Amino acid sequence: MGARLRVFLTQKQDKTLFNLRTAKVPQKVKDRAEVIRLNANGWYVEKIATHFNWASQTVRAVLHKWEEFGIESLWEKPGRGVKAKWKEEDIEFLSECLKKEPRTYNSFQLADKLEKERSIKLSPDRLRRVLKKGIIWKRASPSHKGKQDPKQRAIKQSDLDMLELAAAAGESDLKYLDESGFCAWSKASYTYYKKGQQKRIQQTKNRGRRLSIVGIFEPLSSFVYGLVIGGVDRKAYIQMMEKEAEEAAQMKRIRILVQDNGPIHRCQEVKQLWSKWEAQGLYIFFLPKYCSEMNPIELEWQHIKEDELAGQMFEDELELAYAVIHGVEVRGKRGDYPTQRIKFKSSHPT
């Protein structure tokens, strides 16, 4: 039996190979560097092969190339492998299309676009692997940024930042108000299920009426809300605001409610109450138009819909209401803040 194949490294060589473990180099280069270091530390070829799940011949080839060419042997020689049909400019083209065009694309549509507009033919599967380096498949979301007034938004954001600093310093209370809605047929979402099978959610017979919610959120502190079948009207809104104004007066503390420019927030009946509320210590801060992302309560609605209700179908409005209440309570427990439900004096309260 011949002598065992063994390489020997200088201290400098060992350090260079060790540093490759965290360097931005291909994984194959890192593996080959580790093979050489393990062999230099006394590992036999067979043990290294088992460790990497390689053939012994592959390990020997790495060691022989190291002895002959040194550090250069760790990289692939130029020209090896199948020539790529695409260039970086083609991927940048797709990236710009995804960024600028007001629509979504799947891999089949992108492959077709690449062939028609760049004369590059790639299969959808191959294109997915190419895009994996910088472009991933993810959920899109609607946006109103194109309708925003940048100057007005910047001014309002600056004002809101100051209000947040004042609240953090304990000078006032800052809360966020908004409305949202739910229906008995929740949007299907992702779920864990058996491989090769798709879980199907059966819709109920009737979609039912819309269930609306109005909430007042003080991040990390409280969430007060009320439910109503149909839309939230000015009476329900005024009831919520009156409650906040009374609490502000009792605590003798300034309270600011951040909200959008919804019709019920600015109707004549509500405007007539502004001076009364301000005398009690309650002030309203209106967000600029089409800037819902400035209101953190929007994320609470999103989590309730996508995490707590997604993929569920409800027989009627009552069952849906119980699910929404449970979802709000779950969010409160996770955020470690109390929740409180207000019962409205309306024709369709829940």
Side-chain angles (χ1 to χ4, degrees), residues 106-283:
N106 58 34
S107 58
F108 289 87
Q109 294 165 338
L110 284 177
D112 184 61
K113 187 177 187 68
L114 196 60
E115 183 177 3
K116 289 181 177 178
E117 301 190 26
R118 305 284 292 188
S119 299
I120 302 297
K121 189 172 183 178
L122 293 177
S123 69
D125 184 59
R126 174 60 179 160
L127 182 58
R128 282 195 294 271
R129 293 198 296 270
V130 171
L131 294 177
K132 212 170 184 179
K133 297 179 180 179
I135 301 174
I136 61 173
W137 174 257
K138 62 189 300 185
R139 192 190 302 270
S141 62
S143 172
H144 294 119
K145 285 190 175 181
K147 299 180 179 180
Q148 295 176 359
D149 182 337
K151 292 183 179 179
Q152 183 67 15
R153 189 191 187 286
I155 293 171
K156 285 285 188 176
Q157 184 63 64
S158 179
D159 293 340
L160 185 57
D161 291 342
M162 294 300 295
L163 292 175
E164 290 175 348
L165 287 173
E171 298 174 4
S172 61
D173 294 328
L174 184 64
K175 299 187 177 186
Y176 301 85
L177 179 145
D178 192 40
E179 299 87 14
S180 189
F182 309 89
C183 72
W185 294 354
S186 296
K187 186 177 180 180
S189 182
Y190 297 97
T191 184
Y192 283 103
Y193 204 59
K194 292 182 179 180
K195 191 174 182 179
Q197 299 181 27
Q198 184 180 40
K199 185 177 181 64
R200 297 184 181 276
I201 309 296
Q202 297 297 327
Q203 292 182 340
T204 53
K205 292 183 179 180
N206 299 313
R207 187 165 186 173
R209 291 172 292 178
R210 175 185 173 88
L211 178 70
S212 295
I213 183 172
V214 54
I216 296 177
F217 180 47
E218 185 175 9
L220 305 178
S221 296
S222 67
F223 190 96
V224 180
Y225 69 100
L227 300 174
V228 62
I229 295 175
V232 176
D233 57 20
R234 67 182 186 281
K235 292 182 179 179
Y237 169 75
I238 290 173
Q239 184 177 332
M240 292 283 284
M241 295 295 288
E242 289 282 6
K243 178 180 178 299
E244 292 295 317
E246 290 172 5
E247 289 181 1
Q250 291 174 4
M251 298 175 65
K252 296 181 179 180
R253 182 178 173 85
I254 293 176
R255 181 169 297 188
I256 302 165
L257 276 181
V258 179
Q259 53 191 265
D260 61 26
N261 294 271
I264 61 174
H265 301 167
R266 286 183 173 276
C267 66
Q268 287 300 319
E269 186 176 352
V270 169
K271 287 181 178 180
Q272 292 172 4
L273 293 169
W274 284 354
S275 58
K276 173 192 171 185
W277 292 340
E278 289 177 0
Q280 292 175 288
L282 179 65
Y283 295 84

Side-chain angles (χ1 to χ4, degrees), residues 24-35:
K24 291 185 178 180
V25 296
Q27 186 60 44
K28 287 183 178 180
V29 174
K30 296 180 180 181
D31 291 342
R32 290 165 186 158
E34 188 65 15
V35 165

Side-chain angles (χ1 to χ4, degrees), residues 315-327:
E315 292 293 337
D316 51 38
E317 294 85 357
L318 182 60
E319 187 178 343
L320 172 60
Y322 282 135
V324 173
I325 292 170
H326 176 71

